[in-house]
């Protein structure tokens, strides 16, 4: 297996093209280049130095191309589907109002953008925001009414409060998972699927 050096902009571009959780960077590039996608298990590298989360925001990353999605490593559990018939659909909400380009550009990294978009949604949909509590992974909480509740489920959850909404979210997931979670939040609040995916890509 060969390794390449990629800068931050290229890394983010490749990661933004993820179509499924766990998809390797090699598979993404093969798909983008119209090459056949192989499903073989990648060989384990002898040694790779993984940069910290802070350095991935600031510096050029030297990573194994097969392991590009593991820079922000944590959970890989899929987000469980929620029974759609129980969701009150908001028909008079313009979900584009949560996207403020200038404010998003001021946020620090993927976590900052994730939290900003969630806080904007909590203010836009205060009456139905509790729907986020229905979004869970297999044996894993993503949202709760307290920091302690998330920590009791996972000591590495790194919980943060969503503005002053009284709701908390785990933030130790990688960027692809944050996008999946935010997309599910938008769907729960009545956003259509295409728009939800588009907004989630802003993370």
């Amino acid at each position: 297996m060969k390794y390449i050096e990629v800068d931050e902009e290229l890394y983010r571009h490749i990661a933004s093209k993820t179509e499924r959780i766990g998809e390797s960077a090699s598979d993404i590039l093969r798909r983008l280049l119209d090459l056949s996608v192989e499903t073989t298990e990648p060989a384990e590298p002898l040694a790779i130095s993984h940069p910290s989360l802070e350095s991935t925001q600031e510096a050029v990353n030297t990573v194994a191309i097969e392991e590009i999605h593991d820079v922000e490593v944590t959970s890989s559990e899929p987000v469980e589907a929620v029974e759609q018939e129980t969701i009150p659909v908001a028909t008079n909400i313009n979900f584009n109002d949560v996207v403020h380009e200038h404010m998003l550009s001021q946020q620090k990294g993927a976590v900052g953008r994730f939290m900003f978009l969630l806080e904007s949604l909590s203010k836009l949909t205060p009456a139905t925001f509790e729907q986020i509590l229905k979004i869970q992974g297999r044996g894993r909480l993503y949202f709760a009414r307290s920091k302690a509740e998330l920590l009791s489920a996972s000591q590495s959850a790194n919980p943060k409060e969503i503005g002053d909404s009284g709701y908390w979210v785990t933030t130790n997931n990688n960027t692809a998972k944050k996008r999946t979670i935010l997309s599910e939040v938008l769907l729960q609040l009545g956003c259509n699927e295409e728009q939800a995916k588009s907004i989630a890509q802003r993370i």
Side-chain angles (χ1 to χ4, degrees):
M1 180 168 53
K2 302 295 184 182
Y3 302 97
I4 64 173
E5 182 177 281
V6 295
D7 60 31
E8 181 68 18
E9 182 180 10
L10 180 56
Y11 165 78
R12 290 187 179 278
H13 178 74
I14 294 171
S16 73
K17 301 300 181 181
T18 303
E19 289 188 349
R20 58 181 174 79
I21 295 175
E23 184 177 27
S24 71
S26 179
D27 284 350
I28 295 171
L29 290 174
R30 281 181 169 275
R31 174 164 43 76
L32 294 177
L33 296 171
D34 291 325
L35 299 174
S36 62
V37 177
E38 299 176 356
T39 57
T40 57
E41 290 292 324
E44 286 293 326
L46 295 177
I48 297 175
S49 175
H50 290 281
S52 66
L53 292 179
E54 290 77 11
S55 66
T56 60
Q57 301 297 326
E58 306 291 340
V60 172
N61 301 315
T62 301
V63 297
I65 192 66
E66 290 291 345
E67 308 238 332
I68 196 166
H69 292 293
D70 293 331
V71 175
E72 291 179 285
V73 177
T74 51
S75 168
S76 60
E77 299 93 342
V79 175
E80 291 183 354
V82 181
E83 296 181 5
Q84 296 298 316
E85 63 271 18
T86 64
I87 302 169
V89 177
T91 57
N92 59 342
I93 293 176
N94 182 1
F95 286 94
N96 284 326
D97 288 346
V98 305
V99 180
H100 304 280
E101 296 292 351
H102 175 70
M103 293 299 294
L104 272 174
S105 68
Q106 303 301 309
Q107 306 307 311
K108 186 176 180 181
V111 172
R113 292 186 292 274
F114 180 58
M115 295 302 300
F116 174 80
L117 290 168
L118 285 173
E119 182 177 358
S120 297
L121 281 170
S122 73
K123 293 176 179 177
L124 188 66
T125 60
T128 57
F129 195 66
E130 66 179 359
Q131 293 291 330
I132 65 174
L133 296 177
K134 296 182 178 182
I135 302 170
Q136 299 181 8
R138 293 177 181 170
R140 181 177 173 86
L141 286 180
Y142 295 121
F143 297 97
R145 295 305 302 264
S146 70
K147 178 179 182 179
E149 189 176 353
L150 288 177
L151 287 175
S152 68
S154 171
Q155 285 298 311
S156 62
N158 192 24
K160 293 184 183 297
E161 187 174 11
I162 302 171
D164 57 359
S165 68
Y167 294 91
W168 291 70
V169 60
T170 179
T171 63
N172 70 335
N173 299 293
N174 61 32
T175 301
K177 176 60 73 65
K178 287 183 178 71
R179 287 173 177 154
T180 300
I181 293 171
L182 182 63
S183 180
E184 184 64 26
V185 167
L186 285 156
L187 292 173
Q188 286 298 303
L189 296 176
C191 184
N192 67 65
E193 185 174 358
E194 183 178 353
Q195 188 178 23
K197 288 182 178 179
S198 176
I199 295 173
Q201 287 299 315
R202 302 303 183 113
I203 294 180

